[in-house]
Structure formats: structure tokens, C-alpha cells
Amino acid sequence: MALAVLSYGSLNAARSNLNDAKNVITADLGNKTLLTTPFGRDQLQQDIGTVSKDAAEAEQELDGSQSLKVLGLLPVIDTQRSGLIQLALDVESAAATGATLLDSVNNLTATSHGTTVSLPALAALGTSVDLGHQRLAALNRPASGLIGPIASARTAFNREDAKLVRLLRLSSDTIAFAAPFLGSEGPQQYLIGGENNAEMRDGGAVLSLDLLTADDGTFSVKGDATYGDYALTTPAKVTLPAGTQKIFGAYLPTEQWPDVDATADFPVTGQSMQAMWAQATGDHVDGVLGIDVPGVASILKLTGPVTVPGITEQVSAANVADILLNQEYQGDSVNNPQNSRRDKIAAVVKAAVDRMKTEHVDLDAFANALAGDVLARHLMVWSDVPKDESGLLTLDAAGTLTSVDPARTIHLAVENSTADKLDYFVGVSTKLKVTVDRSGNALVNTVVTVANFARANQPPSYQYGPDGVNAFTPGQYVARVFFWGPKGAVVPSSTEESGLQLVQNHFSLLPGQANSVTFGTVIPHAVVNGHLRLRLVPQARLRPDHLTVEVSAPGWTVGGSTHISTSWGDTKNLSWSLTR
């Protein structure tokens, strides 16, 4: 009896130490800001030390317990003791790997300054990430033979370890792309399209342009101009996919800069912009970046306010949307020939990058901000180098709809079909009613509601219109609502476009009005291995859509929330278990 009591005390103390370590790991994995500041990295270093100490104490407690060694002669007890010792050693190994990775991150941030990234330090980080991935992947061991709290502890560690392995795989892919993007293999030049969220296509209308150059780790932005400076009189020589040509060909997306990103497939947009730039200037670019105003705002959060020629006040993250999408258009008449020169998204991007040359911006914080913009489609990148484009697809940064699970992907866009800037006043909400039948097929009714919050009784203006073509009253908003249903789904009257099934509708809204349209979709055999999944990709609007999802499955027991209400500011990967 005494041996059992002493053994229990040793096991309990060890499990307590390991549980403390697991709680620290879980908290740090959930804190996405830890790597984005020197203070956060210092805290992470302390936490790694805490985890290592807890694991070492647990291992010493187990290895030094004489009572456990005696009881270890019993097979069941020995299995539990050995399993717990192995877990403690694995936690120590994970902490040591984390410390090595953190050292590499700190070295990269310390040796990178302004708009220059240390390529040797980036390569060293890549090596550390790849080694760390191998080491952590090897620590994921089965819990077979373990029982009770010890089995739970092993399973919990494996779960957190799997998260770290996925993060390191993503980090490795990111570094593999970042080095050549930054000119590790020679000078690179990228066209930046400033996407205006007050005149929406799938992204914002491309109304201003920049050139980003990168060489040997140093990047800069030169020039900023309105799209009118590079106007084309004939379409660029780009062959659009058949579906894109059918739906968007009338927009002249290979000739008119504002309409080049009407499609949801940014690789098509990128190729078109590259060809259009070559036709307008005779110059070649290696890739294209599309960034909208929320994307610019996230950069300004890091750089602080910037001074932009032609704008009287400093532009900051807090006021950039109001200045660029509202103030800049106030007071302009409908036919003012200087209107096109008032779009200054590109100028703000240049000012922000220029400020980075003299003001320290934490490299990890900058990378984290860009990653967030990618998830929300505020930043999309295309490269004409197949290897680099493949990397972008892997990172889901290429702006495609089909990089992940196209048979379960839904996307929609509300596009402005008038020559005005009314999207600044427009709100969109989306409601999906999902009904699963007894055979596992899913009927998805998607209701899209568009509201026009523009002021009534305004005089004609560049901002409020009317354009005399599609709108005839100031503030009248004409919405084209595009719905992309999953690949292989039944979407009545749809066309294959951007890899999915596209259908559209349109309506007109006067100021103060709202209207809705419903799209029906059937996803055959939607329940696979007892799970229903949906991947919902948002449109990158200034204010994210509001999203509601309701699930009904008569004859099934549904695991997971059957009513979801949230802001649709990034891709939502939703899953429910369905059992009979």
C-alpha cells in the first residue's frame, strides 16, 4: 500500500509538471503576436525555458522514484511509467527545438534593417525550420498501451505537436518562396495594382499602379501613377479561359485596368496585367501584386502615418480608408477630367515602403501582417515563374479559389456596374441555409443581401454618379452579384469560371434601399466519412460581409453548431459530424 501511495505521488507530480508545460505550449500557439515584437519573442524565450524546466522536473521525478521502479516490475505499471518518461523527454526535445528556431528568428530580425532582408539569415532560418520540422514530426508517438490521464496527456501533446509541424511546413514553404521573391536569384520586378474598394470588382478596381523591385534582399517601390497614364486602345494579347471570356469578356478585362480583376482567379488577373503593362510600356515584370485599402492599412499600422503628395493630412491606418475612398472624391463633378488622378492608393504604398527605409519595422510583424492580408484576399500575388507560382498556390497566396477542396468551396462577389465610388456606402450580408437529405446530399440556398447606405437627394458627382449608362439618379447603386458554387455541384444556369460554377444576378438600389437574391446549389454526396465540410472564401470588401450559416439534417445527428453568425473577413473552413 505504501508503495502504491508513493508511486501515485510521483506520477501525479510528473503529470502536473507536464500539464503545466502543455498549458504554456497551448497558450503560446494561440497567441499569434508573440513573434511579432521583440518583447513577445523575449516572452516566448522565457516560456520555452519554463516548458523545458517542467519537462526536466517531470522526467527526474519519474526516473528517481524508487517506488515506481519496484512497481515497474508489473507490466501495466511499467508501460505507464515508460510512456510518461518518454512524454517528458519529448516535451524537452520540443522545447529545445523551439529555442533553436527562436534563435534563428532573432538573428533574422537583428540582421535585417528597413527594406533589406538578410538573405543568409533567411537561409539559416530555413535550415532550422526544416530540421525542426523533422524533429517535431518524429515526436508524435501513439498513445497505445497508455491509460487514463497518461493517455490523455500523450494525446494532448500529439495534438499540439501536430500544430507545430503544420506551422513549420508552412514556414518552410514561405521561406522557399520569399528568397527568390526578394531577389536571391537575381533582380526581380513586380507590378503593384492598387485596388480601390469604393468601386468593387471581385477585388477593388485597379486604378493606380506601382513598381516594386527586389535585388539581393533589398526591395523598394518606384513611381506611382494613375491607370490613365497607361491606357490601352486595344486588348493585350492574353487568351482568357472560356468561362472568363463568356462572363467577363464584355468588361474588356485585358484592356481596361479598372476591370482587370473582375474574375475571382487572380492568376488570370496577374497574367492580364503583365501583358497590359508590356503593351503600354514595352517593359517586362516578373509578377503582379494586388493590394487594396485594408491591405495598405495593415502596413500603415506598422510604419505609422505617412505624408503623401496631394493629400493635406498625414495618412494613417485609422484614416486611410476615409481619405482614399471618401474624402478624395468629395466635391468632384461627374465629368472632371482630373478625377482619375485622384486615386492615390499606389502613392500611399510607396510612401509606406519609403518610410520603412528609415523607420524600424519589425520583420516578423511585417510578415504576419502580410499573411493576414493574404487570408482575407486583401493581398494577392502572381508570379510568371512556375516554381514560384507553385509556391504561392501551396501557401494559398495566389488568389485562386481552387487551391484547397474546390468541391466544397463557395465564393461570392458584389461588383459595381456603374462608374461611381458608391461601394464605400454599401453593405453586404450573406446567409447560407444548408439542408442535408437522408442520402447525404446537401442543398445550399445562399441569400445575398445588399444595402445602399448612400445619402439621398445628393447632387450629381464623381462619387455619387450617375454615369448615365447604368445609373440615372445620384447615389443609385447597380449591383452585379456573382456566386461561385463548388466544383461538381449542381448550380442552375452556371458557367465554369475560376475553377468553380458561376452564376449571376443583378439589381438596382436607390439610396436607403436594400435587396436580396438567392442562389440554389446541390452538392451531391456532401457527407463524406461522416462529415460535412464547407470552405467559404470571402470577397475582400472594405467592411467584411456578415455571414450566417444554418444547418438542418433531418434523420441525422449533427455534431457542431447548427447556427453560425460571424464576420466574413477571411476564409471559413466549416465542418460538422453527421451520424444516424
Side-chain angles (χ1 to χ4, degrees):
M1 176 64 74
L3 279 174
V5 170
L6 291 173
S7 298
Y8 175 79
S10 296
L11 284 170
N12 196 50
R15 282 196 294 106
S16 177
N17 281 333
L18 291 177
N19 190 57
D20 289 343
K22 190 268 290 184
N23 289 338
V24 172
I25 293 171
T26 301
D28 285 352
L29 279 174
N31 187 348
K32 296 182 179 180
T33 65
L34 273 182
L35 281 172
T36 61
T37 64
F39 175 81
R41 290 190 291 273
D42 287 344
Q43 179 63 52
L44 185 57
Q45 191 168 40
Q46 293 177 31
D47 289 348
I48 288 173
T50 298
V51 168
S52 182
K53 176 175 175 292
D54 287 339
E57 289 178 353
E59 193 272 333
Q60 290 169 9
E61 182 73 34
L62 294 166
D63 194 50
S65 171
Q66 293 302 315
S67 57
L68 274 176
K69 288 179 180 178
V70 173
L71 286 178
L73 297 174
L74 301 174
V76 173
I77 299 297
D78 183 60
T79 298
Q80 307 315 304
R81 174 178 176 271
S82 298
L84 206 50
I85 289 175
Q86 184 63 64
L87 179 58
L89 293 172
D90 288 347
V91 172
E92 280 191 86
S93 180
T97 300
T100 300
L101 287 167
L102 185 58
D103 286 343
S104 295
V105 170
N106 283 329
N107 181 51
L108 176 62
T109 58
T111 55
S112 301
H113 305 284
T115 54
T116 297
V117 177
S118 170
L119 293 181
L122 183 64
L125 175 60
T127 300
S128 295
V129 165
D130 290 341
L131 288 174
H133 181 272
Q134 295 174 19
R135 291 168 180 167
L136 291 179
L139 300 182
N140 203 304
R141 308 178 196 277
S144 54
L146 303 179
I147 59 176
I150 297 175
S152 298
R154 179 79 244 183
T155 300
F157 174 83
N158 286 348
R159 184 168 54 249
E160 304 306 325
D161 182 64
K163 291 179 184 177
L164 289 167
V165 169
R166 285 194 298 271
L167 285 172
L168 290 180
R169 185 174 62 248
L170 179 63
S171 298
S172 180
D173 291 339
T174 302
I175 293 168
F177 168 77
F181 181 88
L182 290 168
S184 64
E185 300 172 2
Q188 299 290 296
Q189 186 165 249
Y190 306 92
L191 181 63
I192 301 176
E195 298 173 314
N196 188 298
N197 303 89
E199 189 177 352
M200 290 299 294
R201 304 298 183 257
D202 187 83
V206 175
L207 301 182
S208 59
L209 301 165
D210 274 322
L211 275 179
L212 184 148
T213 60
D215 187 17
D216 198 26
T218 297
F219 64 94
S220 62
V221 172
K222 62 179 182 180
D224 60 87
T226 174
Y227 74 94
D229 293 340
Y230 302 100
L232 303 182
T233 56
T234 58
K237 295 180 180 179
V238 178
T239 302
L240 296 175
T244 303
Q245 178 63 40
K246 177 181 176 181
I247 302 298
F248 299 110
Y251 287 43
L252 301 179
T254 62
E255 179 181 346
Q256 301 292 336
W257 291 99
D259 298 306
V260 69
D261 61 349
T263 175
D265 192 21
F266 192 75
V268 171
T269 295
Q271 293 174 54
S272 298
M273 290 180 66
Q274 181 194 51
M276 291 165 69
W277 181 257
Q279 184 164 309
T281 67
D283 295 331
H284 172 80
V285 292
D286 301 292
V288 174
L289 289 77
I291 186 169
D292 65 2
V293 171
V296 174
S298 68
I299 298 175
L300 291 174
K301 288 179 182 178
L302 302 176
T303 64
V306 296
T307 300
V308 180
I311 298 178
T312 56
E313 61 184 303
Q314 281 201 309
V315 181
S316 68
N319 66 16
V320 63
D322 184 54
I323 289 175
L324 295 184
L325 304 180
N326 183 28
Q327 293 183 30
E328 282 292 293
Y329 299 114
Q330 292 177 355
D332 275 359
S333 63
V334 175
N335 296 315
N336 184 343
Q338 295 302 309
N339 285 331
S340 63
R341 297 188 176 278
R342 298 185 70 84
D343 190 280
K344 295 186 174 66
I345 296 175
V348 177
V349 171
K350 183 179 186 304
V353 173
D354 286 346
R355 185 177 177 87
M356 289 176 64
K357 295 177 182 178
T358 57
E359 295 288 331
H360 176 71
V361 172
D362 188 90
L363 184 60
D364 270 336
F366 185 61
N368 190 62
L370 296 182
D373 291 332
V374 164
L375 291 175
R377 291 176 67 89
H378 295 306
L379 173 66
M380 293 179 282
V381 186
W382 171 78
S383 172
D384 74 348
V385 179
K387 174 175 66 69
D388 293 345
E389 181 64 9
S390 176
L392 289 166
L393 289 168
T394 300
L395 297 170
D396 204 14
T400 64
L401 300 180
T402 56
S403 57
V404 179
D405 210 1
R408 297 294 181 268
T409 297
I410 289 174
H411 173 66
L412 66 89
V414 177
E415 304 197 11
N416 187 342
S417 64
T418 60
D420 54 42
K421 299 296 182 286
L422 285 174
D423 275 286
Y424 183 78
F425 305 106
V426 168
V428 179
S429 61
T430 303
K431 183 174 184 178
L432 275 67
K433 297 180 179 179
V434 184
T435 303
V436 182
D437 67 18
R438 291 181 177 273
S439 299
N441 305 308
L443 169 63
V444 183
N445 281 322
T446 303
V447 182
V448 183
T449 302
V450 183
N452 182 2
F453 299 109
R455 297 186 300 274
N457 303 316
Q458 297 299 300
S461 68
Y462 184 55
Q463 183 179 33
Y464 268 67
D467 62 4
V469 178
N470 293 324
F472 302 92
T473 300
Q476 181 182 3
Y477 185 77
V478 181
R480 283 196 176 104
V481 185
F482 294 92
F483 173 85
W484 284 263
K487 183 176 182 179
V490 179
V491 183
S493 304
S494 64
T495 298
E496 183 178 340
E497 203 281 328
S498 295
L500 303 182
Q501 298 303 125
L502 173 60
V503 65
Q504 63 175 304
N505 207 324
H506 68 277
F507 48 74
S508 174
L509 298 171
L510 293 175
Q513 290 184 340
N515 200 356
S516 300
V517 62
T518 300
F519 301 100
T521 306
V522 175
I523 306 176
H525 312 297
V527 180
V528 177
N529 296 325
H531 285 83
L532 168 68
R533 300 188 316 277
L534 290 176
R535 178 173 179 262
L536 309 179
V537 180
Q539 182 183 25
R541 302 189 67 85
L542 175 62
R543 288 170 287 274
D545 297 3
H546 184 267
L547 175 67
T548 303
V549 181
E550 294 181 352
V551 177
S552 173
W556 299 84
T557 298
V558 181
S561 176
T562 58
H563 181 88
I564 298 170
S565 180
T566 186
S567 174
W568 195 9
D570 55 13
T571 296
K572 305 297 182 185
N573 292 294
L574 307 180
S575 179
W576 300 266
S577 63
L578 275 76
T579 56
R580 294 191 186 279

